[in-house]
Amino acid sequence: MKYAEDRYITIIPEIDLPGHMLAALTAYPELGCTGGPYEVAGSWGVFDDVLCPGKEETFTFLEGVLSEVVELFPSKYIHIGGDECPKVRWEKCPDCQARIKELKLKDKDGHKAEHYLQSYVTARIEKFLNDKGRSIIGWDEILEGELAPNATVMSWRGMEGGIKAAQMGHDVIMTPTTYCYFDYYQTRNTDEEPLAIGGYLPIEKVYSFEPAPDILTAGQKARILGAQANLWTEYIQTPEHVEYMIMPRIAALSEVQWVKPEKKNYEEFLTRLPRLLNLYGKLGYKYATHVFDVQAKMTPNFETNSLDVELSTIDNAPVYYTLDGTEPTVSSTKYDGKFSIRENSEIKAIAIRKGENPSKMLSEKINASKASYKPITLLTEPDPDYKYSGEGMLVDGLFGNSTNYRTGKWIGFKGEDMAAIIDMLEPTEISTAEIRNCVVTGDWIFDASEIILESSNNDSTFTVVNSQKLLDANTTHWSDIATHTLSFNPVTARYYKLTVKPTIIPAWHPGKGNKAYMFIDEITLN
């Protein structure tokens, strides 16, 4: 603590309750709903076994632990978590149900009585800590039910929780995964990167963050205390790895908080960044250098029916590229402006700076089909958080190269069909249709349950060409890219409609009974 105090740093401890308590339950099994036995988790996860709020001994335990925490940490705030707390044990626990009856808790406003039971836990612990002169912070799950009177909300599952809390008059710390999770990869090309949990958060995305959105009034914006970067270390073993994940993204987030939104300028930030990176080097820090890599913007052009490719670097360094998969050199084609691709290709590009080694190589395969770069209309809406550049992603010839569904290569649908019509512009013969699903069941993302292909010559009356029902026989979590191909006798039509239906999450999964997320990267017709 003295190390922190000498540097004017305040450490805010987090005791996550009532979920994420397997270690405590292993030591004190009587505090769980079932009585155990319990076992400390060997890996990250969200587990059904949580503290039992129906037992008074649970609160005796929590008050004892928090009393010691208050003695150890002088901070105004104590973080009590509240996230990722399944209610399945509470639903069947006699003690929890007795507590629900005693408190006269009911299902209402879209929340179950068990959600209000967690609100009871939060409010009771808040009062205990308020009486000791401390205030609580909780993750945005504490909004589910009734929010404790004086709680500060830390919004991580997007901005919505923080916006709601600010509108209710509560202080908020914004830390949404899409902008603030520094345990996410910094590049789409992850093969040569240190291990990370997944995701994709480049520095330009961090810089684009606005913690106090304009949907809030001036008074509500004043409730946004600021933003926070999160670096969870399940996959991080060394201080050097920590530095690599933080820097220079922390500089971007710092400027987000220091500079008024109307004065932020990413291009100007980039002109100053090399000087900061030079300082990092002099101080011996291990930092990420992705800002010096070749950046590629690839956009389907529905007027020319091709893929437009634009290459750039932070400092306008010369870029050399090839389209046949060979490694580029100074003898390769020098990039001098946007170019277009229509056929299968493998782009490789490097930046060559005077007196320095070439940059990391950009590599991207183009998998063109008859549907590529043809006009496409989505009949269903993607999840706003996973829409990225929209329907064009389904016919841009670019495949997701991993189950990292946040790279911007996969378009996500939350419990909705994916239905799209592709205009081939003229009658076109095909005999196969293929889709690829990204599956990460631990994140409620499952394979499709059914694929239906239809054809039409007038964009209004469609006839079924082929269909396929899919059954996921797995009974444990799995993660992979599932490829599904429909093969049929040749059909000729101008319009093709593809419908992909999501799975109902099976009984073995915590999300059982819900429609799963579904992520698709490309519709291939040949």
Side-chain angles (χ1 to χ4, degrees), residues 270-375:
L270 290 180
T271 64
R272 291 182 278 110
L273 190 57
R275 296 195 294 273
L276 179 62
L277 298 184
N278 185 49
L279 178 60
Y280 288 166
K282 289 181 177 179
L283 293 172
Y285 294 144
K286 175 74 173 178
Y287 61 92
T289 61
H290 303 100
V291 290
F292 293 115
D293 295 348
V294 178
Q295 304 298 317
K297 181 180 178 183
M298 301 186 183
T299 309
N301 187 323
F302 298 116
E303 294 183 0
T304 61
N305 306 123
S306 61
L307 185 70
D308 290 342
V309 180
E310 298 175 81
L311 305 177
S312 62
T313 60
I314 185 177
D315 53 358
N316 296 316
V319 173
Y320 298 86
Y321 70 94
T322 61
L323 298 177
D324 59 3
T326 58
E327 296 197 1
T329 67
V330 289
S331 300
S332 302
T333 303
K334 185 178 181 180
Y335 176 76
D336 63 359
K338 180 171 64 178
F339 60 91
S340 298
I341 293 175
R342 291 180 177 83
E343 308 295 335
N344 288 346
S345 306
E346 185 173 1
I347 301 174
K348 290 191 174 182
I350 55 172
I352 299 180
R353 297 174 173 87
K354 190 174 182 179
E356 297 183 21
N357 292 326
S359 68
K360 291 181 182 178
M361 186 176 303
L362 168 79
S363 181
E364 189 71 64
K365 286 186 177 181
I366 314 301
N367 302 281
S369 78
K370 291 183 178 180
S372 296
Y373 328 125
K374 300 298 194 302

Side-chain angles (χ1 to χ4, degrees), residues 145-321:
E146 294 178 348
L147 185 55
N150 304 306
T152 296
V153 173
M154 192 168 278
S155 189
W156 73 281
R157 298 178 301 175
M159 303 279 286
E160 293 78 10
I163 290 169
K164 179 180 178 182
Q167 291 170 336
M168 294 168 64
H170 288 263
D171 286 344
V172 173
I173 299 165
M174 287 293 195
T175 178
T177 58
T178 46
Y179 297 98
C180 297
Y181 270 48
F182 286 9
D183 53 344
Y184 285 7
Y185 283 110
Q186 303 173 67
T187 175
R188 291 189 177 99
N189 301 315
T190 60
D191 290 347
E192 298 179 4
E193 288 294 296
L195 183 63
I197 194 171
Y200 173 54
L201 181 57
I203 189 170
E204 59 266 29
K205 180 75 170 179
V206 177
Y207 194 89
S208 71
F209 182 39
E210 177 43 55
D214 287 338
I215 193 173
L216 299 175
T217 66
Q220 292 165 350
K221 285 183 178 182
R223 288 289 188 178
I224 309 298
L225 302 181
Q228 172 181 287
N230 286 343
L231 183 68
W232 310 107
T233 55
E234 294 98 330
Y235 298 88
I236 295 176
Q237 296 184 347
T238 66
E240 291 77 18
H241 192 173
V242 169
E243 293 171 359
Y244 183 85
M245 300 302 283
I246 290 175
M247 296 182 282
R249 289 188 289 190
I250 196 65
L253 189 62
S254 296
E255 191 151 305
V256 164
Q257 302 202 73
W258 292 336
V259 176
K260 291 182 178 180
E262 63 272 17
K263 292 189 176 181
K264 280 200 310 178
N265 184 313
Y266 183 63
E267 298 303 321
E268 199 274 333
F269 169 76
L270 290 180
T271 64
R272 291 182 278 110
L273 190 57
R275 296 195 294 273
L276 179 62
L277 298 184
N278 185 49
L279 178 60
Y280 288 166
K282 289 181 177 179
L283 293 172
Y285 294 144
K286 175 74 173 178
Y287 61 92
T289 61
H290 303 100
V291 290
F292 293 115
D293 295 348
V294 178
Q295 304 298 317
K297 181 180 178 183
M298 301 186 183
T299 309
N301 187 323
F302 298 116
E303 294 183 0
T304 61
N305 306 123
S306 61
L307 185 70
D308 290 342
V309 180
E310 298 175 81
L311 305 177
S312 62
T313 60
I314 185 177
D315 53 358
N316 296 316
V319 173
Y320 298 86
Y321 70 94

Side-chain angles (χ1 to χ4, degrees), residues 354-462:
K354 190 174 182 179
E356 297 183 21
N357 292 326
S359 68
K360 291 181 182 178
M361 186 176 303
L362 168 79
S363 181
E364 189 71 64
K365 286 186 177 181
I366 314 301
N367 302 281
S369 78
K370 291 183 178 180
S372 296
Y373 328 125
K374 300 298 194 302
I376 180 171
T377 302
L378 266 179
L379 306 179
T380 51
E381 276 297 313
D383 184 304
D385 288 336
Y386 302 107
K387 184 176 182 179
Y388 300 109
S389 58
E391 60 268 19
M393 295 170 57
L394 295 169
V395 289
D396 61 4
L398 302 174
F399 286 1
N401 57 7
S402 72
T403 56
N404 185 351
Y405 56 90
R406 294 187 178 95
T407 61
K409 294 289 185 65
W410 301 93
I411 185 168
F413 296 81
K414 184 180 181 181
E416 299 285 342
D417 292 358
M418 189 292 295
I421 296 175
I422 300 172
D423 180 359
M424 306 294 279
L425 301 177
E426 61 184 7
T428 303
E429 180 182 278
I430 66 169
S431 57
T432 63
E434 181 180 285
I435 66 157
R436 295 170 10 119
N437 278 26
C438 176
V439 181
V440 186
T441 60
D443 289 353
W444 294 36
I445 303 169
F446 278 73
D447 199 359
S449 65
E450 186 176 8
I451 305 168
I452 304 168
L453 178 68
E454 300 171 83
S455 65
S456 171
N457 283 311
N458 57 19
D459 194 21
S460 59
T461 304
F462 283 85

Side-chain angles (χ1 to χ4, degrees), residues 28 106 326 396 484 513:
Y28 303 98
K106 305 288 184 183
T326 58
D396 61 4
H484 303 293

